[in-house]
Structure formats: structure tokens, C-alpha cells
Amino acid sequence: MRKLTSIILFLVAVSNNFGQSKNSPLPISHLTGDFYVYKTFHDYDGTLISANAMYVVTDKGVVLFDAPWDKTQFQPLLDSIKAKHNKEVVMLFGTHSHEDRAGGFDFYRKKVIKTYSIKLTDDILKEKNEPRAEFVIPNDTTFTVGQYKFEVYYPGKGHAPDNIVAWFGKDKILYGGCFIKSEEAKDLGYLGDADVKEWEKSIKKVQLKFKNPKYVIPGHDGGTTNKSIDHTLKLVKEYLAQNSTEKK
């Protein structure tokens, strides 16, 4: 009986480590198949903001798309993945140079995890004297890891000059990062490095290249609906129209 109680307590503890509690600093949710979305949180100008990221479990290990925004969760993420899937993280892609995406390059590189970015991201990080990825990849690159094939693609400027997306064609999953706003977003958010005029063109490129996604993961807030792409385009057009009117 004592042994059974110990097992139950262990499972409860592990479940909490997976971050399923609403109050957890690292909630992890199942998307579909071997795909998982995790959130971390960061205090930005006095407001706690969530950031979405994704990982996929393959036969050859786990592939991460973006690091936690909360640096205290760098190791807990690895621990949670190991406990949940009994797999090691083998690759990390940073989808642009901002801290909520590329902030974990140094930590994960020291863990002997392969880190990747495009040259635009690498150039920005180099100029800022910030940690860079180990591997610099072309703007449109296809990877096969275990049973999964995916494409990492640079559509052009948008939220950032270097934002990339990842596409899993067989599963119809588009990881958009901050290039895509959630359906609940009221505006385009932080625009300090954005090119909104080019963003419109870039979104249309993504729509043409990756048709009929079933799931789309935005950089912030909730939801994985494919309607978020059209919603982002709507927000971009509204912003451009408003600013064009103000200039007149």
C-alpha cells in the first residue's frame, strides 16, 4: 500500500512538472499526434505576457521551435520533455532575433543541442553582440528528422526583418511564431523592428506556399486556428489604411 501511495505521489509531481496547471510558468498542451505547444511568461512593461512555442517528438529526438521567453524555464522545459517522452531535445530553431525566440541559443548550445537560425538573424545577433546559433541555414530549407519532414521558410519582412515560419506539410501544421498574430489579437503588438508594408506581402507569400493549414501556432496569446493568418492580414491592412489616412 505504501509503495502504491508513493507511485501516486510521484505521478502527481510529474504531472505538475509538465506544466498543465493554469498557474504553472510552463504549461504544455498536446496539439495533435507528436506535436506539443508550450507557453512561457514574461513581464513586459508591468504586464505579464505569454509566448507560444512548439516542439515535435521524433524517433531521433525532440525538435524545438523557439526557446522559452522566461529564462528560468530553459532547464525545466528539457526536464519536462524528458519525463513526458523519455527523449532528449536534439535541435532548436530560433524564428527571429528577439529575446522571446532566440534568447536560449547560448544555454541550449552548451547542452550540446544543435541550434539554427537564418543568416539575417545571425547578422542581427552578431551586431548586438548576443549569443548566436551554431548553424546558419538558407532562407528556405527542408529537414528530415526521424519520421518527420518539415520546411523552414523566410517569407520576407514582417513583425521582424528576419522572421521565419516552419511548415509540416503532411500534418498541415504551420508554426508562425510572431509573424502570425492570434485570432484574439486586437492589434499588431510590438512594431519596433517591424515593416508593416512588407508584412502584407510576406503573409500573402505564406498563404500561397502553404495552403490549407489545419493548425497555425501564433507567437502570443491563445488558439491554434488557421483563421489567425487571415486575421493577421486584416490587422496589417487596417494598420496601413489608418496610417495612410493619418499621413494625408
Side-chain angles (χ1 to χ4, degrees), residues 64-68 71 74 91-118 120-126 130-137 162 164:
L64 277 181
F65 294 90
D66 290 327
K71 294 180 179 180
F74 285 171
M91 302 170 79
L92 164 67
F93 291 85
T95 57
H96 65 272
S97 63
H98 290 167
E99 186 183 11
D100 59 336
R101 305 294 144 186
F105 277 159
D106 186 54
F107 180 90
Y108 291 114
R109 189 170 177 175
K110 288 176 180 176
K111 293 286 182 179
V112 199
I113 294 168
K114 294 179 178 178
T115 53
Y116 298 82
S117 78
I118 61 170
L120 280 169
T121 300
D122 189 64
D123 288 343
I124 292 169
L125 293 173
K126 183 179 180 180
E130 294 178 358
R132 298 147 64 194
E134 181 180 2
F135 300 100
V136 176
I137 58 175
D162 58 324
I164 59 175

Side-chain angles (χ1 to χ4, degrees), residues 210-227:
F210 306 126
K211 298 182 184 299
N212 305 315
K214 186 180 290 186
Y215 302 97
V216 179
I217 295 87
H220 298 278
D221 301 321
T224 57
T225 171
N226 58 12
K227 294 179 182 178

Side-chain angles (χ1 to χ4, degrees), residues 43-217:
D43 189 313
Y44 184 77
D45 290 341
T47 302
L48 197 64
I49 300 175
S50 67
N52 302 320
M54 186 182 82
Y55 68 82
V56 57
V57 182
T58 82
D59 296 338
K60 300 296 183 182
V62 174
V63 180
L64 277 181
F65 294 90
D66 290 327
W69 197 3
D70 179 354
K71 294 180 179 180
T72 68
Q73 298 307 306
F74 285 171
Q75 185 61 48
L77 176 62
L78 298 182
D79 296 341
S80 293
I81 288 172
K82 179 66 175 177
K84 187 174 182 67
H85 309 289
N86 195 28
K87 297 274 188 180
E88 303 292 343
V89 174
V90 294
M91 302 170 79
L92 164 67
F93 291 85
T95 57
H96 65 272
S97 63
H98 290 167
E99 186 183 11
D100 59 336
R101 305 294 144 186
F105 277 159
D106 186 54
F107 180 90
Y108 291 114
R109 189 170 177 175
K110 288 176 180 176
K111 293 286 182 179
V112 199
I113 294 168
K114 294 179 178 178
T115 53
Y116 298 82
S117 78
I118 61 170
K119 189 175 185 302
L120 280 169
T121 300
D122 189 64
D123 288 343
I124 292 169
L125 293 173
K126 183 179 180 180
E127 185 179 343
K128 292 182 177 179
N129 198 29
E130 294 178 358
R132 298 147 64 194
E134 181 180 2
F135 300 100
V136 176
I137 58 175
N139 288 350
D140 192 356
T141 309
T142 299
F143 292 84
T144 300
V145 184
Q147 72 275 39
Y148 286 100
K149 183 177 180 179
F150 59 93
E151 184 175 356
V152 177
Y153 175 66
Y154 173 65
K157 297 176 181 179
H159 164 78
D162 58 324
N163 43 213
I164 59 175
V165 300
W167 171 249
F168 288 79
K170 185 178 178 181
D171 301 273
K172 297 289 185 180
I173 295 172
L174 179 70
Y175 179 75
C178 297
F179 179 74
I180 299 295
K181 305 299 295 182
S182 72
E183 194 181 12
E184 65 193 66
K186 305 299 182 186
D187 55 46
L188 293 174
Y190 175 71
L191 296 176
D193 296 315
D195 188 327
V196 183
K197 190 173 181 180
E198 289 297 315
W199 201 341
E200 182 177 8
K201 299 175 187 177
S202 301
I203 291 173
K204 290 177 179 178
K205 284 183 185 178
V206 168
Q207 289 177 316
L208 285 171
K209 190 171 178 66
F210 306 126
K211 298 182 184 299
N212 305 315
K214 186 180 290 186
Y215 302 97
V216 179
I217 295 87

